[in-house]
Amino acid sequence: MATDSAKQDEKPAIFEPISGENEDTGLTEIQSLCVNCEEEGTTKFLFIKIPFYKEIIISSFYCPHCSASNNEIQSAGTIQEKGVIITCKVQNKSDLNRQVVRADIASVSIPELGFEIPPASQKGTLSTIEGIIQRSVDGLQQEQPIRKSLHPDVFEKIEAFIGKLKTIRTGETPFTLVVNDPSGNSFVENPHAPNHDPALTFTHYKRNLEQNKALGLSIELPEPGQGLDLKNEVITFSTECPSCGVTNETNMKVVKIPHFKEVIIMATNCDTCGKRTNEVKSGTGFEPKGKIITLKVKSTEDMSRDVLKSETCTIKIPELDFITGGNAISGKFTTVEGLLVDLKAMMLETNPFVGGDSATNDKLRKFVEKLDSLLKGATPFTLILDDMNSNSFIQNIYAPEPDPCLSEVEYERTYEQNEELGLNDMNTENYTS
C-alpha cells in the first residue's frame, strides 16, 4: 500500500528526455485563433529536454480551414552569462546540413550579401543552414506579387536578391553565416566534435545595457566615489542572477597571487536556484607580449596546482587533440583538476548534439571518456595555456626555484590578436583633447 501511495504522489516531469524509444512524449494540444482566416485552429506543444543541452518547447500550429501552419522553438532554459557570436564558413553542400538552434533574440546575417535577419523578426527555430536560407527566400517571395504591381523597381531588386539566396543555397558558392545571440542560447553544429572545426568559431562577449534590458535583465552598480578600498576589503554589490533573475549579492576582491600579479575575483551565489558564478579579471593593464605556459602533468600533485585562466587564454591538450577558444570558459582561478572539470561540463552542457547514435556523438563520448581518464590521474598529459595578453598563470610548486614540469615562452602578438584586444586603434602618445 505504501508503494502504491508513493507512486500516486509522483508527478510526471514536464520536460521529457528526447528518445527514440519514448513514443508517449506528453503532447499538449490547445485550440487557438488562426491569424490568417480568424477561424479556430490547433496548436500542439511538445516539452523536450535535449540530452546534455537544455529544455526547449516546440510548438506547431495548423488551421484545417485555410491550411495555414507555423512551427516555433523556444528555449525553456536559463539565459547564459554571456552572449555569443557564432561564425560558420559554409564551403560546400554538406555544410548546409549543419543543424542550427536559433533563439528568437538572435540575429542571423550573411556578410557577403549584406543580408541580415534582425532579432525578434522571426521566432526561434531548430533547423539547418539550408532551412534558414529557404525560410528567408519564402518570406521575401510572399509579398512579391503585390510589389510587382505597386513597386516594380523594388520587385526587381528583391527578385535579384532572392536569386542570390537561391545560388548560395545550392552549396556551390562559399559564404559566411553569422549568428549573434545576446542570450547565448543559440548553437551551430560542429560535425567534427570534439575536434576543432576550422570553419566554426564561437566568440563570447559581455552584454551591454540595451541587450540586458531586451532580455529583461538589469544590473545596478554601486555609486562611484565612495572611497572603496579594493585591496583590503571585500566589496559587495547587487546583481541579478543570470539563471532565475532574483537579486543577489556579488562579492569582489583584489588578490595578489605570489610570483605573479594582482587579479580581481568576483563571485556570486544565488540562494534561490543555487546558481554559482565566479569570474577573474586582471588587475593590471595590457602586457607587451603574449605568453605560452606549458605544464607536464605527471601526478596527482600536479592536478592540485593553482591555475589562473584569463578570458583571452586558449586551452590546449595535445594528447586529446583538443583546443578551445579563450572565451569558451570565462576567466577562472581554480586548479588543474577544476579546469578539466569545467572543460567536461562545457563539452556536455553547451553542445546540443551530443545525444543520439551518430558518429559525431560517438566521438564526443570517447572524448569525455578520455577526459575522465585524465581526471582520475591514470594518464599523464600536457596542459598548454596560450594567452595573448599574458594574464594567465600556473603555480610553480618549486618557487622561487625553476619548475622542471613547467615552462613559459613569450611571443610577439600578431596584428589580428592586437585587433581583438583593441590595441591597434589605441593612441596613448601625443594625445590631445
Side-chain angles (χ1 to χ4, degrees):
M1 293 296 292
T3 303
D4 294 338
S5 177
K7 289 182 178 180
Q8 292 177 358
D9 292 338
E10 291 180 357
K11 295 181 180 180
I14 296 178
F15 294 90
E16 296 288 342
I18 189 169
S19 171
E21 300 176 356
N22 186 7
E23 297 180 358
D24 183 12
T25 54
L27 190 68
T28 301
E29 295 186 9
I30 62 171
Q31 300 301 313
S32 52
L33 179 69
C34 176
V35 296
N36 187 38
C37 67
E38 298 186 355
E39 295 289 340
E40 192 174 78
T42 302
T43 299
K44 299 179 180 180
F45 293 97
L46 190 60
F47 301 88
I48 290 295
K49 184 175 183 180
I50 299 179
F52 310 114
Y53 182 47
K54 59 185 65 176
E55 297 162 342
I56 62 172
I57 302 174
I58 300 176
S59 61
S60 176
F61 172 80
Y62 177 73
C63 177
H65 303 282
C66 65
S67 299
S69 62
N70 183 34
N71 300 307
E72 299 176 8
I73 178 174
Q74 295 179 352
S75 173
T78 60
I79 297 174
Q80 304 303 307
E81 294 182 23
K82 294 185 178 182
V84 63
I85 298 176
I86 309 172
T87 305
C88 181
K89 300 288 185 180
V90 182
Q91 300 172 342
N92 50 56
K93 193 171 182 61
S94 63
D95 285 333
L96 293 171
N97 296 325
R98 291 176 185 253
Q99 296 183 72
V100 179
V101 176
R102 187 185 73 83
D104 52 5
I105 194 66
S107 66
V108 178
S109 61
I110 302 175
E112 290 84 352
L113 301 183
F115 175 70
E116 181 179 4
I117 303 173
S121 62
Q122 295 182 0
K123 295 296 183 180
T125 57
L126 172 60
S127 182
T128 61
I129 295 179
E130 182 179 10
I132 290 176
I133 297 174
Q134 182 59 49
R135 189 172 182 176
S136 300
V137 170
D138 295 340
L140 291 172
Q141 287 179 332
Q142 189 173 4
E143 302 295 332
Q144 280 296 82
I146 299 176
R147 296 189 190 101
K148 188 174 183 180
S149 301
L150 301 179
H151 307 284
D153 53 337
V154 177
F155 167 81
E156 293 295 337
K157 292 179 180 178
I158 294 181
E159 196 68 19
F161 187 80
I162 291 174
K164 294 179 180 179
L165 287 176
K166 289 182 178 180
T167 299
I168 66 172
R169 191 187 59 188
T170 63
E172 297 177 358
T173 304
F175 66 95
T176 307
L177 183 80
V178 181
V179 180
N180 187 346
D181 183 5
S183 73
N185 284 327
S186 295
F187 206 90
V188 177
E189 180 185 10
N190 174 7
H192 308 290
N195 296 328
H196 175 66
D197 187 344
L200 192 64
T201 59
F202 289 78
T203 303
H204 297 264
Y205 62 90
K206 283 194 172 183
R207 291 183 288 268
N208 57 35
L209 182 60
E210 289 72 19
Q211 291 170 328
N212 278 323
K213 288 181 177 179
L215 293 170
L217 303 175
S218 63
I219 299 177
E220 296 182 2
L221 296 176
E223 293 293 331
Q226 299 297 321
L228 302 179
D229 187 358
L230 295 178
K231 293 186 177 181
N232 299 315
E233 297 180 10
V234 175
I235 306 303
T236 301
F237 55 92
S238 298
T239 57
E240 289 190 0
C241 175
S243 179
C244 65
V246 174
T247 301
N248 290 277
E249 299 296 326
T250 293
N251 297 320
M252 182 173 66
K253 180 73 168 64
V254 175
V255 177
K256 170 64 177 173
I257 298 179
H259 310 290
F260 188 50
K261 61 179 69 174
E262 288 183 344
V263 297
I264 301 173
I265 299 179
M266 292 180 287
T268 306
N269 181 19
C270 181
D271 295 329
T272 303
C273 67
K275 177 75 173 181
R276 293 174 179 267
T277 62
N278 66 80
E279 192 172 354
V280 178
K281 296 286 188 180
S282 171
T284 60
F286 290 100
E287 297 294 333
K289 295 183 178 181
K291 181 182 292 186
I292 296 177
I293 308 173
T294 303
L295 173 66
K296 299 290 185 180
V297 181
K298 300 178 180 179
S299 64
T300 55
E301 186 179 20
D302 290 327
M303 295 288 285
S304 301
R305 290 175 184 253
D306 290 334
V307 175
L308 172 64
K309 185 253 177 221
S310 77
E311 291 184 336
T312 58
C313 178
T314 296
I315 303 172
K316 302 177 183 178
I317 303 178
E319 288 80 2
L320 300 184
D321 193 23
F322 175 78
I323 179 173
T324 183
N327 284 299
I329 299 178
S330 61
K332 286 184 176 293
F333 186 42
T334 180
T335 62
V336 173
E337 182 181 9
L339 191 61
L340 294 183
V341 171
D342 288 336
L343 290 176
K344 179 180 177 181
M346 179 195 70
M347 294 300 300
L348 295 180
E349 295 177 3
T350 64
N351 194 328
F353 309 111
V354 176
D357 300 323
S358 69
T360 298
N361 298 328
D362 186 54
K363 291 180 181 178
L364 285 168
R365 284 192 290 269
K366 290 180 178 179
F367 174 82
V368 173
E369 289 175 0
K370 293 179 181 178
L371 200 54
D372 284 333
S373 177
L374 300 187
L375 282 167
K376 294 176 182 177
T379 308
F381 67 97
T382 307
L383 176 65
I384 301 175
L385 301 185
D386 186 349
D387 190 349
M388 57 184 173
N389 198 22
S390 193
N391 277 329
S392 295
F393 164 84
I394 297 179
Q395 180 186 13
N396 175 0
I397 57 177
Y398 298 93
E401 300 298 327
D403 190 328
C405 296
L406 190 65
S407 64
E408 298 182 358
V409 178
E410 292 186 336
Y411 62 88
E412 296 288 342
R413 284 189 291 264
T414 63
Y415 179 87
E416 290 74 16
Q417 289 173 324
N418 281 326
E419 184 72 18
E420 185 174 347
L421 293 173
L423 297 178
N424 290 334
D425 299 325
M426 186 178 295
N427 180 19
T428 60
E429 296 180 0
N430 301 322
Y431 177 78
T432 57
S433 58

